[in-house]
Amino acid sequence: MKTRDKILLTSLTLFNEEGEPNVSTIDIANELDISPGNLYYHFKGKGLIINALYSGFEHELVDILNAPLEKTLNTEDSWFYLYVVFEHIYKFRFFYQNLSDILQRDKKVERRFMHLLQQKYQTANTLLALLVESGVLQITDDALDEVCENITIILTHWLTHTRFRNMPDSEVLAIHRGVFQVMSLVSPYLSESYKFIYQECRDLYQTLLTQSQN
């Protein structure tokens, strides 16, 4: 692995574990056992490291968000797809946990992130529309718009909510919590024959929550 890639991987790990504001370029260099000068050769400041990490995150997430736009997902695939989205966001959770500060520091990233929010909304709208078409959901256009907006909010702020509510934050539980929150939004609109999907999601989340508390 090239030094540049090692720097990005180590930075991502430290940012996620320690919080981005608490990690300096010196910390990253020490963790890699390289000189600050060597790190500076590849990235002339922490801001450039964050920018590079965001670019990688954005590229991968856009590919994921475009998946429902390119093919029709069946019911089972739709719920599995939610886990894929939440897993990818969790992988880069430092960005969401310090979102306001990072966006204030880098206006270019802020503009790109605003576009990403719109893509999140569009994907939610497309996915739910497919479920309406297949008879899984029964929902009006106005309610569909409201649910899509709330899904976008959850995808953006669920990790911050979890932290401030002092909830258990293991990776598996955090991801399932996010999926369960989305399912809770959608559940009132599930057709009668598909309500079991919400119950299964709820049961799994409650089981994981109980296990975390023991």
Side-chain angles (χ1 to χ4, degrees), residues 180 198-208:
F180 175 63
Y198 170 73
Q199 190 59 49
E200 288 180 352
C201 181
R202 184 179 186 277
D203 290 344
L204 177 57
Y205 173 64
Q206 289 298 328
T207 297
L208 292 170

Side-chain angles (χ1 to χ4, degrees), residues 77-188:
D77 287 341
S78 298
W79 307 132
F80 176 75
Y81 172 77
L82 279 177
Y83 287 95
V84 175
V85 174
F86 278 100
E87 283 175 350
H88 185 67
I89 291 174
Y90 189 85
K91 179 181 175 182
F92 291 86
R93 59 193 177 277
F94 83 89
F95 181 78
Y96 284 84
Q97 290 172 333
N98 196 39
L99 183 62
S100 295
D101 288 345
I102 291 175
L103 295 185
Q104 286 177 1
R105 279 184 255 144
D106 194 325
K107 294 303 178 182
K108 290 183 179 179
V109 170
E110 182 182 43
R111 288 191 292 272
R112 290 163 63 185
F113 187 74
M114 289 173 65
H115 182 65
L116 191 61
L117 286 180
Q118 181 58 35
Q119 289 182 287
K120 289 178 183 178
Y121 173 89
Q122 185 58 52
T123 296
N125 188 278
T126 299
L127 187 57
L128 294 188
L130 290 173
L131 294 175
V132 170
E133 185 179 332
S134 62
V136 177
L137 297 179
Q138 296 177 337
I139 186 171
T140 65
D141 289 342
D142 288 344
L144 179 64
D145 178 72
E146 293 170 2
V147 171
C148 290
E149 194 64 50
N150 285 326
I151 289 174
T152 304
I153 292 171
I154 289 174
L155 285 171
T156 306
H157 298 292
W158 115 90
L159 286 170
T160 302
H161 173 79
T162 295
R163 184 178 63 176
F164 286 128
R165 288 274 286 150
N166 197 29
M167 294 175 173
D169 60 355
S170 70
E171 177 177 356
V172 171
L173 185 58
I175 292 169
H176 277 82
R177 180 182 294 112
V179 173
F180 175 63
Q181 288 170 341
V182 171
M183 286 297 300
S184 296
L185 286 175
V186 174
S187 63

